Amino acid sequence: MVTGGAAGIGQALAQRLAAAGHRVAIADLEPAEETLGLVSAAGSEGFGARCDVSSGESVAEFAGSVQERFGRCDVLVANAGIYPVRSFDDTTWEDWRRVMSVNLDSLFHLTKAFLPGMRKAGWGRIIATASNGFYSGLPDLAPYVASKGGVIGFVRSLAIEVGEDGVTINAVAPSLVRTRGTTEGPTRSWACSRG
């Protein structure tokens, strides 16, 4: 199961999982037809559905669809994220909460929905996308960087709790990745001006 799998890093991850023989469920606010085409081309089965990962109800509904289609989820990739670029002075509380709800609260909702099945099976993998920006800081992205620090803390703590149940949880922390979002979206000027 890949969140944010309609494009970018999530799309690449879904394609790679399909090539490794996994059936892939895509959760995204955007249509995932392109990704599902890549999954099919890799010789695997997939489905996608609209899911707001910041909503526990939406995640629970999607988890039910995964259960119905595939029986259980063995690999959860919590990749969905947003990164509005604006100075801290221009950041409102609503901006802050939106970033936290999508980037960090979603990991809580997803883990609550899928971890019990992994524990019952005695095996599971959870991979959360953090950011290399957590280690260096990034201008005009304070909520984003704070949320990714939260992801790393969550993963470190939960890994200790669930390891003995046959479930591993890890975070990956990529640097800036060339995707449509970073080359055409709001981070384009930041990326270009800072190399």
Side-chain angles (χ1 to χ4, degrees):
M1 206 282 270
V2 180
T3 67
I9 293 173
Q11 184 177 79
L13 292 170
Q15 187 176 14
R16 179 65 184 91
L17 287 165
H22 294 278
R23 295 177 295 176
V24 183
I26 306 294
D28 205 304
L29 289 176
E30 302 299 323
E33 281 77 17
E34 182 179 335
T35 302
L36 293 172
L38 294 170
V39 167
S40 179
S44 192
E45 176 188 353
F47 82 95
R50 188 177 191 283
C51 177
D52 177 358
V53 294
S54 70
S55 161
E57 290 180 3
S58 185
V59 169
E61 184 177 328
F62 187 80
S65 297
V66 172
Q67 174 75 27
E68 188 177 306
R69 291 286 297 269
F70 294 153
R72 71 171 197 249
C73 173
D74 291 324
V75 180
L76 165 63
V77 182
N79 171 72
I82 58 173
Y83 46 90
V85 180
R86 63 179 56 104
S87 70
F88 182 73
D89 287 343
D90 292 335
T91 299
T92 66
W93 174 246
E94 289 73 24
D95 296 332
W96 174 273
R97 281 306 317 146
R98 181 64 183 149
V99 172
M100 290 298 166
S101 69
V102 174
N103 296 2
L104 182 56
D105 297 350
S106 62
L107 188 53
F108 174 87
H109 297 314
L110 291 161
T111 304
K112 280 288 188 180
F114 290 100
L115 178 60
M118 293 178 178
R119 278 180 150 158
K120 184 177 179 181
W123 195 93
R125 301 293 179 258
I126 301 172
I127 301 111
T129 303
S131 171
N132 189 265
F134 167 72
Y135 300 102
S136 61
L138 296 168
D140 302 328
L141 286 164
Y144 172 79
V145 173
S147 71
K148 294 306 184 175
V151 167
I152 291 169
F154 178 85
V155 165
R156 285 179 174 167
S157 294
L158 191 62
I160 298 167
E161 288 188 44
V162 302
E164 64 184 26
D165 299 323
V167 179
T168 64
I169 177 168
N170 292 280
V172 294
S175 294
L176 189 66
V177 175
R178 186 182 303 273
T179 65
R180 280 190 300 245
T182 59
T183 57
E184 300 170 6
T187 58
R188 183 180 190 282
S189 60
W190 179 86
C192 293
S193 67
R194 290 163 176 80

